[in-house]
């Protein structure tokens, strides 16, 4: 209790919460805009099955870009970095005594999102590279 005079109560307003959210939105929009202008996705139709006359019986389409992985890595760094930062902040605030303490539940939810991201992204990459035939 000796150091209690060093601390002060902060009141967060809606604009305090909106500032980082708008910053993340703008960062994502900038990366996606640069991706669209610099290396837009191109649709490619792949013929799986042809009849004896060379007509396509079964096709599927994919969209790809030459350097899309670079933009995906940048987007993952931005969004997973902000998620990791939020998990750390929720963990640090888990023991705060307040009437409406929700940080432990928020910490668990964001931890699960982070865990699914780290498990789901490699599985998606592996599944993308495997043959469906």
């Amino acid at each position: 209790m000796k150091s209690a005079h060093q601390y002060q109560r902060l009141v967060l307003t809606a604009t305090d919460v909106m500032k980082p959210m708008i910053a993340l939105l703008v960062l994502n929009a900038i990366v996606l805009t640069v991706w669209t202008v610099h290396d837009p996705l191109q649709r490619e139709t792949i013929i799986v099955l042809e009849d004896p006359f060379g007509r396509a019986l079964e096709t599927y389409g994919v969209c790809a870009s030459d350097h899309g992985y670079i933009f995906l890595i940048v987007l993952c760094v931005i969004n997973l970095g902000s998620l990791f930062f939020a998990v750390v902040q929720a963990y640090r605030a888990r023991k705060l005594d307040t009437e409406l303490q929700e940080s432990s539940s928020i910490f668990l939810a964001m931890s699960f999102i982070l865990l699914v991201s780290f498990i789901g992204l490699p599985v998606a990459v592996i599944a993308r590279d495997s043959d469906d035939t």
Side-chain angles (χ1 to χ4, degrees):
M1 287 305 222
K2 294 179 183 178
S3 63
H5 67 279
Q6 295 175 350
Y7 297 105
Q8 60 182 350
R9 183 174 294 261
L10 295 176
V11 178
L12 292 176
T13 62
T15 56
D16 294 331
V17 177
M18 285 191 298
K19 287 176 187 175
M21 295 304 295
I22 291 172
L24 282 172
L25 179 68
V26 168
L27 276 174
N28 280 299
I30 289 171
V31 171
L32 291 172
T33 302
V34 170
W35 186 1
T36 301
V37 170
H38 176 68
D39 190 19
L41 292 173
Q42 301 292 325
R43 180 173 168 77
E44 180 182 348
T45 302
I46 298 171
I47 299 172
V48 177
L49 184 63
E50 290 182 342
D51 66 2
F53 301 106
R55 295 177 293 197
L57 294 176
E58 184 178 340
T59 63
Y60 70 92
V62 292
C63 290
S65 63
D66 295 332
H67 305 290
Y69 62 91
I70 295 171
F71 296 102
L72 287 175
I73 289 171
V74 171
L75 287 172
C76 284
V77 167
I78 290 170
N79 292 309
L80 290 177
S82 63
L83 178 64
F84 181 73
F85 179 73
V87 167
V88 169
Q89 292 298 317
Y91 179 77
R92 290 176 62 196
R94 73 189 186 285
K95 303 246 181 187
L96 292 178
D97 291 330
T98 62
E99 289 181 24
L100 304 172
Q101 182 185 14
E102 299 168 349
S103 62
S104 59
S105 301
I106 293 170
F107 169 71
L108 282 173
M110 287 188 298
S111 297
F112 287 132
I113 292 171
L114 195 60
L115 181 66
V116 167
S117 297
F118 283 126
I119 292 172
L121 289 175
V123 169
V125 169
I126 291 168
R128 180 177 169 221
D129 292 337
S130 68
D131 279 340
D132 294 336
T133 56

